[in-house]
Amino acid sequence: MNSETNAYHYTECGLPNVWIQGVHAVDDDGDEIIRIPNIRGLHRLIAHAIVGCDGRLTGAEMRFLRSEMGMTQTELARLIHRKRLTVSRWEREESTVDGAADALIRIFAAHRLGLESVDDDQLEAISARCVTTPCAKSDLRIDGSIPGSYRLAA
């Protein structure tokens, strides 16, 4: 828990930059507890933020999306016409994902997770996000102050 922002660092999702505000409580003994209802909704919001972010996917982001889609590295590799070892290297950040594969992964994630309909405008927007080089990712701040309902914090 970050005492300055009163936000919980949600590392359980496998991403280093996710912070949730408003998910803590104090039990009868005065101990602080973290309660995160609706994990599925939370992960859907995180996936939506990843698909919509600028810059190439990081290894952790790719692993998160693949996991949320319920796919193995082999299944994802087959889907995007790459080798499993290539996907593994991307996820471990031993090599950088190419822009075409990055765009395909985002499009498949958007479709499979029901994040948004992928029409021509969305395809172009997703493609444009993926041609840039990897960039430092800012913290993903999520407002969880309404139990079970999440939104990106301003």
Side-chain angles (χ1 to χ4, degrees):
M1 183 72 65
N2 183 328
S3 58
E4 288 180 19
T5 63
N6 206 21
Y8 175 67
H9 191 193
Y10 183 58
T11 58
E12 293 88 341
C13 65
L15 298 167
N17 62 333
V18 178
W19 293 84
I20 309 172
Q21 299 167 333
V23 293
H24 67 284
V26 177
D27 69 8
D28 293 338
D29 296 326
D31 296 324
E32 186 173 56
I33 58 172
I34 303 300
R35 182 171 173 267
I36 303 175
N38 189 13
I39 296 287
R40 177 178 255 163
L42 173 60
H43 283 209
R44 182 181 164 98
L45 178 67
I46 293 168
H48 191 270
I50 291 170
V51 167
C53 75
D54 288 332
R56 297 261 173 86
L57 292 172
T58 66
E61 290 169 336
M62 185 178 304
R63 185 174 37 257
F64 180 86
L65 291 176
R66 177 182 57 76
S67 177
E68 288 301 306
M69 290 188 287
M71 300 179 80
T72 65
Q73 288 179 341
T74 301
E75 291 168 332
L76 180 61
R78 190 176 308 124
L79 191 64
I80 62 172
H81 305 285
R82 299 295 194 281
K83 294 181 181 178
R84 186 207 59 82
L85 185 58
T86 301
V87 172
S88 176
R89 287 179 178 151
W90 290 339
E91 289 185 2
R92 291 190 319 261
E93 297 189 357
E94 292 175 1
S95 63
T96 304
V97 63
D98 62 271
D102 186 312
L104 276 174
I105 292 166
R106 290 178 197 233
I107 291 165
F108 282 123
H111 174 72
R112 287 193 175 198
L113 300 175
L115 303 177
E116 56 190 55
S117 63
V118 183
D119 62 18
D120 288 347
D121 291 336
Q122 277 90 9
L123 286 174
E124 287 185 32
I126 289 171
S127 179
R129 289 184 196 108
C130 302
V131 296
T132 60
T133 58
C135 59
K137 303 290 180 165
S138 60
D139 285 344
L140 178 57
R141 299 275 176 185
I142 297 171
D143 180 356
S145 58
I146 300 171
S149 178
Y150 302 98
R151 63 178 186 255
L152 294 176

